[in-house]
Amino acid sequence: MPEYRSQANGARVLADLNALRAIGAYKSGVHKPTFSAAHMESLHWLAQRLPEAQLTPTIDGIGNVFGTSKKSGPKILAGSHLESQNFAGWLDGPLGVVYALEAARVINPDSGLGGAVEVAAWCDEEGHFGHFLGSRSYIGDLTEADIDSAKDRTSGRKMREALREVGLADRPRARAELGRHIGYLEAHIEQGDTLESSGLGIGIVTSIVGIWQYRITFTGEQNHAGTTRMGARKDAGLALARLCVAIDERFPDLCSPRTVWTTGRITLDPGAPSIIPGRAEMLFQIRDDDPGVIDRLENALTSIATEIGAKSGCKEDIERLRTGVPGLMDERFQHAIAEASNVFAGGRSLRMPSGAGHDAQILARIMPAGMLFVPSIRGISHHWDENTTDGDIVTGAQVFVDACRRLLAG
Ligand code: GLV
Ligand code: MN
Ligand code: MN
C-alpha cells in the first residue's frame, strides 16, 4: 500500500462509534427516536467534536447539525443521520456521520491538501415524523405547513411541540448555498448481505430506490361472529387477507428484479374474536428505482383491490401516503470510491444499487452525490443485532477519507 500522509485513524473512528453507541444503548444496539433525549445528546456530542476538524458547529431549526469550514478551496459535504429506528442498530446513520467527521479531521487541518470536508447530520432520516425531513428542509423541499402537520408515528407528539421541547423552535432552518459544495458523499452499512456473501469490503452505490407508501382500507359490515352465516358476511379482514395473497401472486409478473413490497401493519376494527371486522386497514410499501415499474404495480393494486372488494362485499380505498424519489449516484463519485477501494480495500468492491433509502437521494436532486457501503454481518439491520466487523469499519473509513481527498483534488 502506498504511504499516504493523511489517512483515517481507525482506532479514533471505532472509539467515536462506540461513544455514540453508549448514548441511548438498548441491548446490543440503540433506541434513539428523533428528538428523544438520547438523540439530542448525540447531536450535541457531534457539535462538540466538530471543532477538532476546524469546523464551526450549528444545529438548525429542524435538528440538522452542520460543521462549516473557513478553509479556502473546494468543499465537499459529507454525513448521514444520528437518530435510529425504535430499538434498532448502532451503525445505521452514525457510521456515515463518524466517517464524515474523520475525513474532516484528516483533510481540513492539512494545509498541503486543498479544500475541506463539511459535515452534516440530517434529522429524521428514519422517518419518525415524516420522511427525510432534515435533508428535504436543506434543499428547500419542506414547507412550514409540512412541519405543522408532522407527528411522531409512535407517540403522536407533534413536531412543533417536539422542536419547542428540545429548544430548536426559534432557530432558522439552514438552506443549501448553491455552488458551495462539489457534491455530497455518504457512507452507510449495506443492510443486506450482498457484500458479506461475496467476500467484498466496499459497495459503490449506483442508485437508491424510491419508497412509495399506501394506506389500504376495506370497509365491510361489523356483525356477530356466531350468528352471521358465512355467505351473508361482509368481512373486511378477510378482504384484506385476500388482497395480501393476490399481491404476492400478481406482482412478480409485473415487477423488476429488484422490486420489493412489504405489509408493515394490519389493523382490524374492532379487533375482537367474536366480532366480524367491519373495517380493515394495512400500511403497504413498495420500493424500486424505476417510477415506471411503480406505475404498473399501482395500477395492478387498484384493480386487485376493486376485484376483491366486489367479491367480498366491501368498499376499498387506496391512499398514497408517500411518493418515492429514486436517486442516481454521480459517475465521478463512483469512480473516486472505486479508486480508493483499489488502494485501501484491495479492489474488493462492487457497484450495486441501494434497496434502503438514504439522504443522498435527496441531496442528489441539487448536487452530485455518491455513497459507499460497508458489509453488514448476516445482512441484519433495523434490529439491535445489526453489526459490522471492526476490520470492515476501519477499511471503510480509509476508503471514505481517500475518496474525499480524490474528489477535492479534482
Ligand atoms: C431507511 O432506513 C429505509 O427504511 O430505507
Ligand atoms: Mn440510515
Ligand atoms: Mn435505517
Side-chain angles (χ1 to χ4, degrees):
M1 191 182 294
E3 267 308 302
Y4 278 88
R5 52 189 274 156
S6 24
Q7 276 189 29
N9 177 334
R12 182 164 65 178
V13 167
L14 290 168
D16 282 351
L17 284 169
N18 280 298
L20 282 167
R21 184 185 205 170
I23 305 173
Y26 175 80
K27 297 191 178 178
S28 52
V30 293
H31 177 57
K32 297 193 208 192
T34 304
F35 300 136
S36 61
H39 178 228
M40 293 310 296
E41 192 181 334
S42 301
L43 301 191
H44 292 295
W45 177 94
L46 175 63
Q48 280 160 17
R49 297 272 94 67
L50 290 168
E52 292 169 15
Q54 299 187 351
L55 293 169
T56 307
T58 48
I59 303 181
D60 82 348
I62 193 124
N64 289 332
V65 184
F66 295 100
T68 45
S69 166
K70 292 195 174 67
K71 194 174 172 190
S72 61
K75 291 181 178 59
I76 188 165
L77 186 61
S80 193
H81 59 95
L82 288 173
E83 81 284 341
S84 73
Q85 288 286 342
N86 291 334
F87 310 105
W90 67 298
L91 294 170
D92 177 356
L95 181 103
V97 172
V98 169
Y99 279 13
L101 171 64
E102 181 62 13
R105 278 188 300 220
V106 170
I107 292 170
N108 297 356
D110 189 335
S111 53
L113 290 177
V117 178
E118 297 197 316
V119 174
W122 308 109
C123 196
D124 205 33
E125 188 274 349
E126 294 295 359
H128 291 273
F129 285 87
H131 54 278
F132 300 121
L133 295 184
S135 50
R136 281 174 52 217
S137 169
Y138 182 69
I139 71 158
D141 181 35
L142 191 74
T143 63
E144 292 299 310
D146 291 332
I147 301 177
D148 291 341
S149 61
K151 279 189 195 150
D152 184 313
R153 64 176 142 87
T154 310
S155 67
R157 179 165 69 146
K158 288 189 165 160
M159 183 150 191
R160 289 284 182 209
E161 201 181 303
L163 285 167
R164 243 190 334 271
E165 282 168 10
V166 299
L168 297 177
D170 298 326
R171 298 195 188 183
R173 290 193 276 137
R175 282 287 299 275
E177 205 182 296
L178 289 183
R180 179 177 180 88
H181 299 111
I182 59 167
Y184 173 71
L185 188 64
E186 178 166 354
H188 209 277
I189 49 166
E190 181 201 337
Q191 308 181 280
D193 67 356
T194 303
L195 294 174
E196 185 188 58
S197 59
S198 322
L200 298 170
I202 299 290
I204 303 166
V205 178
T206 51
S207 65
I208 304 177
V209 285
I211 303 176
W212 281 260
Q213 209 148 286
Y214 309 86
R215 178 183 292 119
I216 306 172
T217 313
F218 283 105
T219 310
E221 199 170 77
Q222 179 178 328
N223 209 338
H224 195 291
T227 57
T228 316
R229 282 178 294 106
M230 294 310 284
R233 295 179 178 213
K234 294 179 179 170
D235 184 336
L238 180 62
L240 203 70
R242 285 183 170 139
L243 181 79
C244 291
V245 173
I247 287 171
D248 233 39
E249 285 170 355
R250 302 238 207 123
F251 272 25
D253 293 335
L254 303 166
C255 68
S256 79
R258 294 199 173 272
T259 318
V260 287
W261 55 90
T262 307
T263 300
R265 190 177 72 196
I266 288 182
T267 322
L268 303 184
D269 188 30
S274 293
I275 304 177
I276 299 163
R279 191 169 182 282
E281 177 190 294
M282 73 189 223
L283 291 181
F284 183 63
Q285 188 184 83
I286 315 178
R287 298 184 182 212
D288 201 283
D289 55 13
D290 179 354
V293 171
I294 301 293
D295 271 353
R296 277 205 308 272
L297 295 176
E298 267 191 4
N299 288 336
L301 185 63
T302 307
S303 59
I304 299 168
T306 309
E307 275 166 38
I308 288 171
K311 181 173 167 189
S312 316
C314 298
K315 191 181 155 316
E316 72 286 349
D317 182 58
I318 300 179
E319 183 190 355
R320 194 202 265 169
L321 301 176
R322 171 171 177 182
T323 302
V325 189
L328 283 182
M329 298 296 96
D330 183 79
E331 181 48 50
R332 204 164 63 83
F333 276 56
Q334 292 181 45
H335 182 71
I337 300 166
E339 296 275 294
S341 303
N342 287 341
V343 177
F344 287 98
R348 293 180 307 113
S349 65
L350 174 76
R351 291 192 193 230
M352 61 187 292
S354 170
H358 298 289
D359 292 300
Q361 72 203 96
I362 304 299
L363 274 296
R365 286 159 62 183
I366 61 160
M367 62 177 88
M371 274 200 88
L372 75 80
F373 283 161
V374 298
S376 291
I377 296 175
R378 292 191 294 128
I380 292 174
S381 187
H382 285 184
H383 187 280
W384 54 84
D385 279 348
E386 166 188 288
N387 212 351
T388 297
T389 65
D390 285 359
D392 282 339
I393 290 175
V394 171
T395 300
Q398 287 163 337
V399 171
F400 189 85
V401 172
D402 192 44
C404 286
R405 200 181 54 75
R406 285 166 191 274
L407 287 161
L408 286 169

